[in-house]
Amino acid sequence: MAVKKEVIRSGWQEAVALVLIATGVLLLLGMFSYDWRDISALNMPSNDPPVNFIGPVGAWCSFLLFFSFGMAAYLFPAGFIYTGTFMLLKPGTGTGRRLGWLLGLSVAVVLFMTLDQEN
């Protein structure tokens, strides 16, 4: 017989899960509506008001993610949404380990995407 493991629920895990899902959705909206003219360091004068759905914060977050990781930056909001959903549906099942694998996958995809740019 399998021993049933009882999961003790606390409000903190659900709160963190909801914050992760909300952050992922906001990042995704900011990335889809990204316009480089919203960034004052790239365009003078910048768009006023910003075209980005999330405003200047969404424009800068999108700029930093795209500048750092390129098109692989879309993995971050998807990973946040996935991890938050998983934390809500299956609590207490190694969330830290999953975040580590997500970070490793993101780095691997970034490195894989830069291989083709050398030639």
Side-chain angles (χ1 to χ4, degrees):
M1 269 194 189
V3 177
K4 192 171 187 178
K5 182 180 175 184
E6 186 175 329
V7 177
I8 299 172
R9 289 190 169 248
S10 69
W12 288 107
Q13 188 167 4
E14 284 84 5
V16 170
L18 291 175
V19 166
L20 281 173
I21 292 172
T23 303
V25 168
L26 288 175
L27 273 175
L28 202 59
L29 284 173
M31 291 172 118
F32 281 144
S33 64
Y34 173 70
D35 184 15
W36 65 272
R37 290 180 217 80
D38 288 341
I39 308 298
S40 59
L42 301 177
N43 187 32
M44 200 56 162
S46 61
N47 288 343
D48 190 32
V51 178
N52 198 300
F53 293 150
I54 311 302
V57 174
W60 274 100
C61 287
S62 300
F63 167 70
L64 291 174
L65 281 172
F66 282 136
F67 182 74
S68 300
F69 300 104
M71 294 307 286
Y74 283 110
L75 287 175
F76 287 95
F80 286 160
I81 293 169
Y82 167 75
T83 305
T85 304
F86 194 85
M87 286 174 68
L88 282 177
L89 298 179
K90 294 192 174 225
T93 54
T95 304
R97 199 173 24 170
R98 291 188 189 283
L99 285 174
W101 279 107
L102 177 67
L103 180 64
L105 174 69
S106 301
V107 170
V109 168
V110 168
L111 293 175
F112 182 71
M113 291 177 81
T114 58
L115 283 178
D116 190 38
Q117 294 179 0
E118 296 296 324
N119 293 332

